[in-house]
């Protein structure tokens, strides 16, 4: 294309019309709970917060503050120290003791000037103190600061959770990875020994998987792995774990499972995978699996070796079978 074939705007000709920008919905307003037994103070504080765009809920005593916080999970609690039923310190302890409310920042509203009272509240986990009567500018500044700190802490927790999940998850299949499976093997072995109950293990291998890659390429091979992984995960029941052991191998851990129970689970896996289909350039295709099972009390390393030997036996017997 030359310059004179490129459309230009202006000059009386047709102009390129830019699409209208998409208007995204505004984020929800932060919710602030104002807990104070004085109706006048609640009204003044709530009005000041609402004028700055905050969503406000109220509580008239300590017990109501606890219940409303648990029900509404506000982003911030402004809490009077001297309240009927439960004082502010008792409310703070109750909020910190419950997982759902333990991270909600609490800012005390108080007419006290005793340094010891302030120190006690901070020791119990309060974020800050505001003295009554509250100056509007200081109120908004302190509330904004507490909410910014909470947002940063929430983002840090989310990222840490994502990192923890990534560290134990196989990126291709979404199942547990080898590293986390090693940790689970040790944990399940310890449980087996403590309670003197059997641990069942199943090692699964996709039959002739190299043929899939050689015939349709690695992208199709990856799709095949994902379908098999999802199918295997769908056969697991409560307490049973499965992950990608490596390559086209998978490992299932079955607490309290005898060798017969492990064999039944493996057979369930085999039938499910045989029935599943994955997409190739030539249409839908199927693969089969072979599985080796072992069970016993403790001795996870020996169980894995036994299951691996059973898997080789299944392969030697013609594949698509359980040993």
């Amino acid at each position: 294309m030359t310059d004179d074939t490129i459309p230009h705007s202006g000059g009386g000709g047709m102009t390129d019309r830019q699409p209208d920008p998409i208007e995204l919905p505004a984020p929800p307003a932060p919710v602030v709970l104002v807990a104070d037994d004085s109706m006048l103070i609640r009204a003044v504080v709530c009005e000041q917060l609402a004028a700055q765009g905050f969503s406000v809920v109220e509580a008239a005593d300590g017990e109501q503050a606890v219940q409303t916080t648990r029900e509404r999970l506000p982003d911030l609690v402004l809490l009077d120290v001297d309240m009927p039923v439960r004082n502010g310190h008792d409310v703070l302890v109750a909020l910190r003791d419950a997982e759902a409310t333990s991270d909600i920042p609490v800012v005390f509203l108080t007419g006290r000037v005793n340094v010891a009272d302030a120190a006690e509240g901070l020791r119990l986990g309060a974020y800050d103190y505001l003295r009554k009567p509250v100056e509007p500018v200081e109120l908004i500044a302190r509330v904004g600061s507490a909410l910014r700190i909470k947002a940063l802490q929430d983002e840090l927790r989310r990222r840490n959770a994502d990192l923890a999940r990534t560290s134990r998850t196989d990126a291709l299949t979404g199942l547990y990875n080898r590293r986390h499976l090693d940790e689970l093997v040790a944990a399940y072995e310890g449980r087996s020994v403590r309670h003197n109950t059997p641990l069942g293990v199943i090692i699964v291998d996709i039959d002739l998987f190299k043929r899939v890659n050689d015939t349709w390429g690695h992208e199709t091979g990856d799709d095949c792995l994902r379908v098999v992984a999802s199918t295997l995960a769908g056969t697991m029941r409560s307490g049973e774990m499965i992950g990608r052991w490596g390559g086209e191998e998978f490992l299932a851990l079955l607490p309290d499972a005898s060798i017969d129970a492990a064999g039944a689970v493996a057979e369930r896996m085999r039938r499910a995978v045989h029935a599943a289909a994955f997409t190739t350039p030539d249409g839908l295709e199927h693969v089969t699996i072979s599985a080796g099972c072992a069970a016993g009390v403790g001795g996870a390393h020996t169980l894995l070796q036994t299951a691996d030997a059973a898997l080789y036996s299944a392969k030697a017997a013609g594949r698509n079978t359980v040993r």
Side-chain angles (χ1 to χ4, degrees):
M1 176 180 289
T2 61
D3 287 346
D4 58 350
T5 65
I6 300 175
H8 293 277
S9 61
M14 294 184 61
T15 61
D16 292 334
R17 185 180 183 278
Q18 297 297 319
D20 295 332
I22 298 174
E23 293 187 8
L24 298 176
V31 178
V32 179
L33 169 65
V34 180
D36 198 299
D37 60 324
S38 168
M39 184 182 298
L40 176 60
I41 291 176
R42 290 202 313 274
V44 170
V45 172
C46 289
E47 182 180 3
Q48 292 169 351
L49 291 171
Q52 297 297 319
F54 294 103
S55 178
V56 186
V57 291
E58 301 179 42
D61 60 54
E63 185 61 33
Q64 192 177 62
V66 173
Q67 294 303 322
T68 304
T69 302
R70 289 173 177 171
E71 292 169 3
R72 294 295 301 272
L73 296 178
D75 298 288
L76 176 74
V77 175
L78 290 173
L79 182 63
D80 187 18
V81 176
D82 296 312
M83 283 192 298
V85 186
R86 301 174 80 162
N87 66 37
H89 289 168
D90 289 341
V91 171
L92 178 57
V93 170
L95 298 183
R96 291 293 173 261
D97 284 345
E99 183 178 356
T101 58
S102 62
D103 294 326
I104 297 175
V106 172
V107 175
F108 275 125
L109 296 172
T110 180
R112 298 180 181 182
V113 294
N114 191 323
V115 175
D117 287 334
E120 176 64 8
L122 295 173
R123 185 189 67 81
L124 293 173
Y127 173 81
D128 205 350
Y129 257 83
L130 279 170
R131 289 179 178 172
K132 296 185 286 188
V134 181
E135 291 292 333
V137 173
E138 184 180 15
L139 170 68
I140 300 305
R142 296 287 184 91
V143 167
S145 175
L147 290 173
R148 283 192 296 273
I149 294 297
K150 181 179 184 296
L152 290 172
Q153 291 172 337
D154 289 346
E155 177 64 14
L156 180 61
R157 276 190 290 270
R158 186 190 65 77
R159 291 188 180 187
N160 286 339
D162 287 344
L163 286 172
R165 183 167 55 252
T166 300
S167 71
R168 62 176 182 263
T169 303
D170 176 63
L172 177 63
T173 64
L175 300 182
Y176 289 132
N177 59 20
R178 177 65 179 261
R179 173 184 174 184
H180 191 57
L181 282 174
D182 286 336
E183 296 173 356
L184 288 175
V185 167
Y188 276 52
E189 178 183 32
R191 180 185 183 278
S192 173
V193 172
R194 283 194 306 275
H195 299 287
N196 195 35
T197 54
L199 169 64
V201 301
I202 305 171
I203 299 180
V204 174
D205 184 82
I206 302 176
D207 296 326
L208 302 173
F209 181 70
K210 185 176 182 297
R211 186 179 297 173
V212 175
N213 283 330
D214 291 345
T215 304
W216 296 291
H218 288 278
E219 185 174 343
T220 299
D222 288 347
D223 288 339
C224 174
L225 279 169
R226 282 189 284 264
V227 168
V228 171
S230 175
T231 303
L232 292 174
T235 67
M236 294 289 96
R237 294 174 180 171
S238 178
E240 299 173 349
M241 299 292 180
I242 190 164
R244 188 179 180 190
W245 195 230
E248 62 269 23
E249 283 193 342
F250 301 85
L251 173 67
L253 301 173
L254 318 174
D256 306 323
S258 66
I259 188 62
D260 289 340
V265 172
E267 180 59 24
R268 188 167 72 233
M269 291 175 166
R270 188 195 65 78
R271 290 196 303 268
V273 171
H274 196 197
F278 64 99
T279 303
T280 77
D282 299 327
L284 295 179
E285 292 289 341
H286 298 262
V287 291
T288 61
I289 59 170
S290 299
C293 309
V297 176
H301 180 69
T302 301
L303 290 176
L304 291 172
Q305 286 184 322
T306 304
D308 199 44
L311 171 61
Y312 277 99
S313 175
K315 293 282 190 181
R319 305 181 181 87
N320 191 24
T321 190
V322 172
R323 287 289 184 270

